[in-house]
Amino acid sequence: MDDRLASTLSSLKDHVAIPKLTDFVHKYQCFYSFDTPESPLGIFVNLFSFYSYGYNFVKLYYEKTGYRLYLNIRSTRTANIDTPHNDVAVDMEKPTKLGIGVEGGFISSLDKYKISNIYYLVLLPEFLYIPYSSDLPSSIYESMLAIIENKGELQPKSFESWEQQLFVSKHSETLIQLNCIEKIPSSGWKCYKCEMTANLWLNLTDGSILCGRKQFDGSGGNNHAVEHYSVTRSLFFSYL
C-alpha cells in the first residue's frame, strides 16, 4: 500500500465503527434490491452503519451520507461432495422425522453446499478495491473482521439444526376409526352433502368431508359438519 493511500485511509477514522456482538449487521441482502453476496459484484457493507447495498445502490448511499469505506463480500457456492444433494440421493433417503440437520430429518441447505468468500475494502467514489488483509489500518481491519465474524441479520447458524417436538394428543387414545366406504382423495375435496369446496372439515372417525358453520352474514359453510356431529357425536374433525 502506497503512502498516499495509507494516508487517505487513516484520515477516514470517523467513517469506521467496530460492531459489537449485539449490533445488527446487515450483510446478506441489499436494502433496495435483491443483490446478495452471491451476486456477480457481491454486496457492499458500510463500515460505519453496517447497512448493505448492491453495486447499483451503494454510490447513492455514499452521495447521501458521505461514508466512503465499505466491505465488499463476494460469495461462491459449490456442492459439498460429502453430502448427498442431488434428487436421486434425496429420494433414496426420504426424511422420517420432522426436523432439519438431525438424523432422519431433512438435509440442511448449509450441509449441501460450501460457501467460499472473498473480501475487499472498497473506497468510494472511486470504487478502489483493496484486498482485505491485516496490513490495513488497524481500525479498518478490526471493523471488517468484526463484520465478517458477525452472524448478521439472518443468523444462519440458528438454522443448521432444528427439530420439532411432537406431542401425542390425548384424544388419539380414544379415537375410533371406521372403514371408509369411499377413499379420501388427496385433492379436489368437497362437502359430501352440498359440494362446497371451501371451509371443509374431515371427520377422523368415518372419513366424511363436510362443510363448516354458516356465519351470521351468510358466509362460511352450510353447517353440515355440525349436523353430522349432532347425529353421530363424532368429536374428531380436522380442518382441510
Side-chain angles (χ1 to χ4, degrees), residues 19-239:
K20 301 182 291 291
L21 292 177
T22 55
D23 285 334
F24 215 53
V25 175
H26 301 264
K27 62 176 186 178
Y28 289 105
Q29 190 172 34
C30 171
F31 266 29
Y32 300 118
S33 71
F34 294 106
D35 285 336
T36 72
E38 294 184 50
S39 299
L41 297 176
I43 205 82
F44 297 79
V45 185
N46 181 262
L47 295 193
F48 186 83
S49 66
F50 316 131
Y51 295 161
S52 61
Y53 302 92
Y55 180 82
N56 293 326
F57 293 94
V58 65
K59 191 170 183 179
L60 295 176
Y61 184 72
Y62 156 72
E63 292 172 350
K64 179 180 179 180
T65 64
Y67 291 138
R68 299 186 63 187
L69 300 176
Y70 297 80
L71 168 63
N72 178 227
I73 305 175
R74 301 188 186 189
S75 302
T76 55
R77 182 185 300 233
T78 56
N80 189 346
I81 61 175
D82 298 325
T83 302
H85 58 276
N86 54 49
D87 294 338
V88 176
V90 172
D91 186 61
M92 291 173 59
E93 300 181 8
K94 291 183 178 180
T96 58
K97 183 183 294 185
L98 185 59
I100 298 175
V102 296
E103 185 177 355
F106 293 87
I107 298 175
S108 168
S109 59
L110 298 178
D111 294 330
K112 295 180 183 180
Y113 304 100
K114 290 181 178 179
I115 305 296
S116 300
N117 298 310
I118 299 177
Y119 305 107
Y120 294 96
L121 172 66
V122 179
L123 181 65
L124 264 62
E126 303 92 330
F127 277 98
L128 177 63
Y129 287 78
I130 307 166
Y132 166 68
S133 77
S134 58
D135 294 332
L136 293 167
S138 59
S139 60
I140 294 177
Y141 172 75
E142 290 172 9
S143 175
M144 295 175 71
L145 178 62
I147 292 173
I148 292 169
E149 293 182 343
N150 191 287
K151 293 181 180 180
E153 71 273 27
L154 297 184
Q155 298 197 21
K157 289 185 179 296
S158 64
F159 297 100
E160 289 180 356
S161 180
W162 167 83
E163 182 177 358
Q164 174 68 53
Q165 186 176 4
L166 303 178
F167 298 92
V168 178
S169 169
K170 63 179 181 180
H171 301 295
S172 64
E173 298 176 357
T174 57
L175 174 62
I176 299 174
Q177 291 186 300
L178 306 177
N179 291 326
C180 298
I181 298 176
E182 298 183 11
K183 183 178 179 181
I184 301 173
S186 59
S187 61
W189 303 305
K190 59 184 178 180
C191 176
Y192 285 176
K193 294 188 176 181
C194 67
E195 297 194 347
M196 281 193 65
T197 58
N199 191 20
L200 299 177
W201 295 81
L202 169 67
N203 186 289
L204 301 182
T205 295
D206 59 21
S208 300
I209 297 178
L210 300 161
C211 62
R213 295 178 182 272
K214 182 184 290 293
Q215 305 299 325
F216 71 93
D217 61 354
S219 63
N222 292 317
N223 289 330
H224 288 140
V226 176
E227 293 172 359
H228 187 73
Y229 161 73
S230 65
V231 174
T232 64
R233 295 295 172 180
S234 299
L235 296 175
F236 308 107
F237 280 86
S238 177
Y239 183 70

